[in-house]
Amino acid sequence: MANMQTIASARAHSNIAFIKYWGNRNQALRLPANSSLSMNLAALHSTTTVRWSDELAADSLAINGEAPSVAALRRVQAHLDRLRRRLGTDLRAQVDSRNNFPMGAGIASSASAFAALTLAAVAALEQRLSERELSALARLGSGSAARSIPGGFVEWHAAEAHPGSFAETIAPPGHWQLEDVIAIVSRQHKGVGSTAGHKNAGSSIFQPARVETAAARLKQVKQAISQRDFALLARVVEADSNLMHAVMMTSQPALFYWQPLTLAVMKAARGWREQDGLRVCYTLDAGPNVHCICVADEAPAVAERLRALSPAIDILRSGVGGGAVVLPPSGASLCKGESATCPLSPQITLPQHSAACTK
Ligand code: DP6
């Protein structure tokens, strides 16, 4: 009897939020408490290959060529279960996921990883889903992964129900030449991950105030992006990051992600803007590293100033990235056949008959 095996690879970029996602109205479905907005990071990406096969007894996962933790494997298996239900298959999957940025650099990989996993899993079964559905599906694996499916500057809609909570592009990558100059102040793995943090967000008395006012900030950031108004962007992005960290610090138990150097970089970035006129502002994720968002022309100056601030700071730089794409097949393990168009990247072709290979 013919063996069923089908394979595809996809790449998705990491993203940095200008308006943050923190706290869910439905934790299991990762329906966020508020809508958020981010920029994809061209230089930071995950590449994931999914091989569905009836020869596999169980799902397997390798991250950067190594066996994952039990928790990481379980999280990916749970996502594969959701994908199996949606795609109508009971095949098991072999998943190989690689990040081009150093693990343990404090750069979140769940967004790019779950976006790439979702797209590769769907493409391998030659199914075509809309960008919206791919984004909503990726969200079930990691909330911020919803924003790594579309390209450029992206808004993720908070919604009452699963299919309505997806992300979409509000401006393409070329709309505004911004850069993220990331000051890595600590390489330590964070003690409390985002998923646990989201669950505790409601224990802060500041969370309702943050959520109630998030829509107004999101509107201002959309206006700043559409008019390429850096002063407005800087004011709102810094305020939103401060508000999220105020919620974190006042949650029970309290979450302190900042290191002394984190605060030094935040104050310096603000000073470079207010005193020296550099178009730069800071924003932080659930960790101590500082994302210095700046106009691309000023990124070299920002990087130089960060280096001068402390020899302990490492730097990663990235411009605005595109959306998730299916990668051309490497060929060897796929059947030859006619080609079909990739659901997200019409310029890329997929093998038509890879779903039923006979070895
Ligand atoms: C602080 O998407 O990593 O980076 O849904 O549990 O995977 P899970 O959380 P995650 O949370 C990201 C939180 C944040 C802010 C943001 O990116 O909006």
Side-chain angles (χ1 to χ4, degrees), residues 34-178:
N34 61 281
S35 297
S36 58
L37 193 152
S38 59
M39 168 179 123
N40 276 0
L41 299 175
L44 309 181
H45 53 74
S46 300
T47 304
T48 301
T49 300
V50 173
R51 182 173 75 94
W52 298 104
S53 170
D54 63 359
E55 288 185 316
L56 299 169
D59 296 322
S60 68
L61 170 67
I63 300 178
N64 295 333
E66 288 179 12
S69 65
V70 173
L73 177 63
R74 288 216 178 111
R75 189 168 173 182
V76 164
Q77 280 171 329
H79 197 57
L80 289 167
D81 285 341
R82 291 178 201 114
L83 292 167
R84 272 188 279 269
R85 277 196 294 279
R86 172 61 185 89
L87 301 170
T89 183
D90 55 9
L91 296 175
R92 302 288 120 182
Q94 182 185 359
V95 178
D96 180 274
S97 188
R98 286 164 200 274
N99 302 320
N100 77 332
F101 47 97
M103 288 278 278
I107 305 297
S109 58
S110 68
S112 52
F114 278 93
L117 169 63
T118 303
L119 181 56
V122 171
L125 288 172
E126 294 186 1
Q127 300 210 14
R128 284 160 185 257
L129 302 184
S130 66
E131 184 182 273
R132 286 180 177 196
E133 189 174 0
L134 285 166
S135 170
L137 277 173
R139 186 201 81 234
L140 296 169
S142 173
S144 54
R147 299 189 309 237
S148 283
I149 293 284
F153 299 90
V154 170
E155 179 180 359
W156 166 21
H157 306 285
E160 299 290 333
H162 162 59
S165 187
F166 58 85
E168 61 187 335
T169 297
I170 57 158
H175 169 74
W176 197 5
Q177 306 291 320
L178 293 183

Side-chain angles (χ1 to χ4, degrees), residues 2 22 73 211:
W22 196 246
L73 177 63
V211 170

Side-chain angles (χ1 to χ4, degrees), residues 17 20-21 30 75 110 142-144 147 194-195 198 244 285-286:
K20 306 295 185 183
Y21 148 55
R30 287 186 161 85
R75 189 168 173 182
S110 68
S142 173
S144 54
R147 299 189 309 237
S194 301
T195 304
H198 289 295
M244 180 181 73
D285 276 344

Side-chain angles (χ1 to χ4, degrees), residues 339-354:
S339 60
T341 307
C342 157
L344 284 182
S345 307
Q347 73 277 17
I348 291 174
T349 55
L350 298 171
Q352 185 83 298
H353 301 303
S354 60

Side-chain angles (χ1 to χ4, degrees), residues 63-334:
I63 300 178
N64 295 333
E66 288 179 12
S69 65
V70 173
L73 177 63
R74 288 216 178 111
R75 189 168 173 182
V76 164
Q77 280 171 329
H79 197 57
L80 289 167
D81 285 341
R82 291 178 201 114
L83 292 167
R84 272 188 279 269
R85 277 196 294 279
R86 172 61 185 89
L87 301 170
T89 183
D90 55 9
L91 296 175
R92 302 288 120 182
Q94 182 185 359
V95 178
D96 180 274
S97 188
R98 286 164 200 274
N99 302 320
N100 77 332
F101 47 97
M103 288 278 278
I107 305 297
S109 58
S110 68
S112 52
F114 278 93
L117 169 63
T118 303
L119 181 56
V122 171
L125 288 172
E126 294 186 1
Q127 300 210 14
R128 284 160 185 257
L129 302 184
S130 66
E131 184 182 273
R132 286 180 177 196
E133 189 174 0
L134 285 166
S135 170
L137 277 173
R139 186 201 81 234
L140 296 169
S142 173
S144 54
R147 299 189 309 237
S148 283
I149 293 284
F153 299 90
V154 170
E155 179 180 359
W156 166 21
H157 306 285
E160 299 290 333
H162 162 59
S165 187
F166 58 85
E168 61 187 335
T169 297
I170 57 158
H175 169 74
W176 197 5
Q177 306 291 320
L178 293 183
E179 259 204 41
D180 183 2
V181 182
I182 309 169
I184 298 176
V185 305
S186 166
R187 291 180 170 272
Q188 277 190 350
H189 202 270
K190 54 190 175 196
V192 179
S194 301
T195 304
H198 289 295
K199 285 184 191 150
N200 269 345
S203 65
S204 164
I205 56 166
F206 295 146
Q207 173 73 344
R210 188 194 70 82
V211 170
E212 269 164 37
T213 53
R217 285 189 300 281
L218 191 139
K219 201 171 157 200
Q220 287 178 308
V221 167
K222 276 174 93 166
Q223 186 193 327
I225 290 172
S226 110
Q227 297 172 356
R228 300 184 190 88
D229 179 342
F230 195 87
L232 177 60
L233 183 84
R235 185 159 56 79
V236 185
V237 165
E238 288 188 355
D240 194 82
S241 176
N242 294 345
L243 279 162
M244 180 181 73
H245 280 269
V247 168
M248 291 164 163
M249 290 178 196
T250 51
S251 292
Q252 288 159 23
L255 273 176
F256 295 103
Y257 284 114
W258 299 0
Q259 303 282 336
L261 204 45
T262 307
L263 188 59
V265 174
M266 289 162 67
K267 288 174 83 170
R270 186 170 151 187
W272 298 335
R273 182 174 75 255
E274 291 178 351
Q275 274 113 54
D276 307 337
L278 273 192
R279 281 166 294 166
V280 59
C281 66
Y282 66 79
T283 187
L284 278 72
D285 276 344
N289 299 324
V290 186
H291 294 252
C292 296
I293 308 297
C294 59
V295 295
D297 287 351
E298 283 168 355
V302 169
E304 202 174 304
R305 284 173 184 238
L306 285 170
R307 276 190 205 100
L309 201 63
S310 165
I313 295 175
D314 287 328
I315 290 168
L316 282 176
R317 281 175 55 179
S318 178
V320 190
V325 290
V326 178
L327 298 175
S330 54
S333 55
L334 296 169

